[in-house]
Amino acid sequence: MAEHAARRCCLGWDFSTQQVKVVAVDAELNVFYEDSVLFDRDLLEFGTQGGVHVHEDGLTVTSPVLMWVQALDIILEKMKASGFDFSQVLALSGAGQQHGSVYWKAGASQVLTSLSPDLLLHEQLQACFSIRDCPVWMDSSTTAQCRQLEATVGGAQALSCLTGSRAYERFTGNQIAKLYQQNPEAYSHTERISLVSSFAASLFLGSHSPIDYSDGSGMNLLRIQDKVWSQACLGACAPHLEEKLGLPVPSCSVVGAISSYFVQRYGFPPGCKVVAFTGDNPASLAGMRLEEGDIAVSLGTSDTLFLWLQEPTPTLEGHIFCNPVDPQHYMGLLCFKNGSLMREKIRDELASSSWSEFSKALQSTEMGNSGNLGFYFDVMEITPEIIGRHRFSAENHEVSAFPWDVEIRALIEGQFMAKKIHAEGLGYRVTSLPGGCETEMWTCVH
C-alpha cells in the first residue's frame, strides 16, 4: 500500500447477503484497493449458509447483526495492517442488501456516541440490538401481514400506487408488523429501526443515520410521490413506528461527518463525509450511470431490469422506487425468475449443452422468428405468476413444439419481449429516432 499512501480517495462499502466488501476509488475513479469478508468462510462461528439462517419453517430467513459488525471490524483492521492511509479518505458511502432490517435497542444511541477507540465495534455493540437475528430479503414468512396491509389501504393496487409496490413478504413494513405481533416486548424496547443500508451508515456516523428515499421505497411504507411515510401504512404495521424510523432523506445526502471513533482508531480525517447509504438495487442503477430512457438488464439466475423513469405507472408486477440519483425521478425494477437457468436448460436440451451451437441457431433464424412465439417458465414466474412452456404459431395457434432452431429463437425473443412489455407497463417509453426507428439503450450485464 505504500505507493497509495498519499492518494486522496473515497471508500465504497457493500453490506450484501454473503459478504461485506470495500473499494477505494481515487479522483480519476480508479479502484486501487479492495477487500472483502465472506461470512460463511471468515466468520464460521455464526454458522450461516449463504450468509443467512433458514429457520425450520422454511420461510423465515435471518442474519446475525453482529456478524455484519464483526465483518466491518475485520476489514478495517486488515486495511490498517496493510498500511492503508485513512487520512486521505474524503468521503464514504455504500449499499446494503435491500429490505433487511435492524432493531436498535433503547440506549444504543448513547453507546454509538461514546465508543472507545481501544475496542473493536462488535465488542461494544453486543447489547445494542432488540433482536440479534435480523429478517432479510429472502424471508417469506409475512403473508398474513401483507394481506392485512393491503386491506387497510384499499387493496394491492392502491398500495402499489401509494408505495410503488403491492405488499411483498420481504418488504420491511411487513417484517416490522410481524415482529410487533409476535414479539411486542422486543418492539417496545426498540429505539430505532434501520434498513441494512442505514444501519451500516450509522456505524460510521456514530449515531442513527436516516433511511434514504430510494431504499426506503422497498418497505411498503414510503409514499413515493411526496417522499414521506404513509400514516395509513405505518398504522397498519405497528404503533409509534414513525418515531422509530426517523425522517427519510434524499439518497445523495451528506448525513454527517465520520464518528470520532474512526478518527482516533484508524486515522480518518475529522472532516470525512458520510453520504447516505442506499439499497443494492438502487446502487446498481447509480453505479451503471443510467440516464432517462436507459435500461440495464442483469442476466443472472433471475433476470433483473433497472429502468430510469420520469412518470411511473405502479402496477401489481414489478417495483417503483425513488431514483437514487435524481429525487424528482424514479426507477423501476422488474425481476424474472426464469432467467439463465431456463436458457441453460434449453441449451442443454436442444444445442448439445453448447453455447456455440445455441448461437448458430440464433444466426440461422430470422428476426421475428417468422411469427412464432414462445414463453418458457419451468418454475413459477414472478412477472407474471405463470408456469409452463407456451408456444404459438404464426397463425396464433398454440402448438406443442417447434423445430430446435425456432425454439431457441422463440426463447430469447420471448424473454426480451416480456421484458419490454412489462417495462412499458411501469411507464417506460420507447423513444423514436429520425426515420421512425424505435430504440432504447440496453445495457446487459451477465
Side-chain angles (χ1 to χ4, degrees):
M1 283 301 303
E3 69 271 22
H4 304 304
R7 210 167 183 176
R8 297 170 76 85
C9 64
C10 295
L11 296 183
W13 295 87
D14 181 27
F15 283 68
S16 68
T17 309
Q18 300 189 54
Q19 66 177 346
V20 170
K21 181 178 181 179
V22 64
V23 295
V25 183
D26 66 18
E28 285 73 44
L29 301 183
N30 298 308
V31 175
F32 67 92
Y33 183 96
E34 58 183 304
D35 201 357
S36 62
V37 170
L38 294 172
F39 304 137
D40 293 2
R41 181 193 68 194
D42 302 322
L43 289 165
L44 295 173
E45 61 267 36
F46 289 98
T48 58
Q49 291 185 328
V52 301
H53 293 142
V54 179
H55 294 227
E56 290 184 1
D57 62 5
L59 301 174
T60 304
V61 183
T62 60
S63 288
V65 60
L66 286 168
M67 178 179 72
W68 300 335
V69 180
Q70 193 166 337
L72 176 60
D73 282 331
I74 292 172
I75 288 187
L76 287 168
E77 290 298 309
K78 287 171 69 178
M79 294 176 76
K80 183 178 180 180
S82 75
F84 188 91
D85 189 354
F86 291 100
S87 71
Q88 298 300 306
V89 179
L90 302 175
L92 61 86
S93 189
Q97 53 172 295
Q98 212 164 359
H99 314 301
S101 46
V102 174
Y103 300 81
W104 297 92
K105 196 172 183 179
S109 58
Q110 294 178 325
V111 176
L112 282 171
T113 57
S114 56
L115 293 168
S116 168
D118 297 325
L119 298 172
L120 295 168
L121 286 172
H122 78 273
E123 296 172 328
Q124 303 181 70
L125 299 179
Q126 292 283 331
C128 286
F129 303 101
S130 307
I131 59 171
R132 295 168 72 91
D133 281 311
C134 299
V136 295
W137 66 273
M138 297 170 68
D139 188 283
S140 56
S141 66
T142 63
T143 301
Q145 289 76 19
C146 288
R147 300 293 81 80
Q148 178 184 351
L149 177 58
E150 289 179 345
T152 298
V153 300
Q157 183 61 53
L159 182 64
S160 182
C161 290
L162 191 65
T163 70
S165 303
R166 65 173 175 85
Y168 284 88
E169 282 80 0
R170 66 186 183 275
F171 274 40
T172 322
N174 307 302
Q175 295 291 338
I176 295 170
K178 176 189 171 184
L179 175 69
Y180 170 66
Q181 293 167 18
Q182 297 187 0
N183 195 346
E185 184 178 6
Y187 180 82
S188 67
H189 291 159
T190 299
E191 71 176 23
R192 186 68 168 238
I193 300 173
S194 295
L195 297 178
V196 175
S197 58
S198 60
F199 152 78
S202 300
L203 297 177
F204 289 104
L205 200 59
S207 60
H208 294 314
S209 177
I211 293 170
D212 76 290
Y213 292 161
S214 205
D215 206 10
S217 309
M219 301 175 72
N220 278 145
L221 295 177
L222 188 76
R223 289 166 44 169
I224 60 171
Q225 295 291 343
D226 46 11
K227 282 86 172 170
V228 297
W229 301 120
S230 163
Q231 295 302 315
C233 295
L234 295 175
C237 291
H240 313 298
L241 183 50
E242 186 169 20
E243 62 193 62
K244 296 180 188 291
L245 294 174
L247 293 175
V249 298
S251 302
C252 296
S253 301
V254 175
V255 293
I258 197 165
S259 163
S260 60
Y261 170 84
F262 295 93
V263 176
Q264 296 171 35
R265 184 175 180 90
Y266 297 107
F268 280 86
C272 174
K273 294 179 173 60
V274 178
V275 179
F277 284 40
T278 191
D280 51 5
N281 289 312
S284 295
L285 180 135
M288 292 291 294
R289 299 180 67 190
L290 297 193
E291 299 176 354
E292 185 178 351
D294 291 351
I295 293 180
V297 186
S298 175
L299 301 174
T301 304
S302 294
D303 288 349
T304 305
L305 259 68
F306 302 99
L307 320 167
W308 182 297
L309 297 171
Q310 186 169 3
E311 297 179 3
T313 307
T315 68
L316 297 181
E317 295 167 350
H319 312 289
I320 302 292
F321 299 143
C322 298
N323 192 301
V325 178
D326 184 345
Q328 301 305 313
H329 289 185
Y330 300 86
M331 67 169 286
L333 186 147
L334 287 162
C335 186
F336 300 85
K337 187 178 287 187
N338 290 268
S340 66
L341 294 182
M342 189 69 246
R343 290 186 290 274
E344 290 166 5
K345 196 167 186 179
I346 295 294
R347 176 203 64 186
D348 295 345
E349 292 175 5
L350 302 176
S352 305
S353 302
S354 166
W355 283 122
S356 176
E357 293 300 314
F358 190 97
S359 297
K360 287 179 182 177
L362 283 175
Q363 293 164 0
S364 69
T365 49
E366 62 181 17
M367 189 180 300
N369 215 13
S370 300
N372 296 296
L373 294 175
F375 301 96
Y376 301 80
F377 313 110
D378 277 13
V379 296
M380 180 61 73
E381 185 51 72
I382 302 171
T383 313
E385 291 187 3
I386 190 172
I387 195 168
R389 299 186 184 185
H390 308 275
R391 304 171 184 87
F392 299 88
S393 68
E395 293 75 31
N396 202 28
H397 298 141
E398 189 158 7
V399 296
S400 60
F402 287 140
W404 76 279
D405 52 348
V406 174
E407 188 98 85
I408 287 173
R409 179 167 283 278
L411 166 70
I412 297 302
E413 290 190 349
Q415 287 191 335
F416 274 85
M417 185 182 300
K419 290 171 173 59
K420 181 176 184 290
I421 290 169
H422 288 290
E424 290 177 328
L426 287 178
Y428 181 79
R429 295 294 174 261
V430 175
T431 57
S432 294
L433 292 175
C437 296
E438 292 182 337
T439 184
E440 310 96 355
M441 171 59 185
W442 291 79
T443 303
C444 294
V445 182
H446 197 284

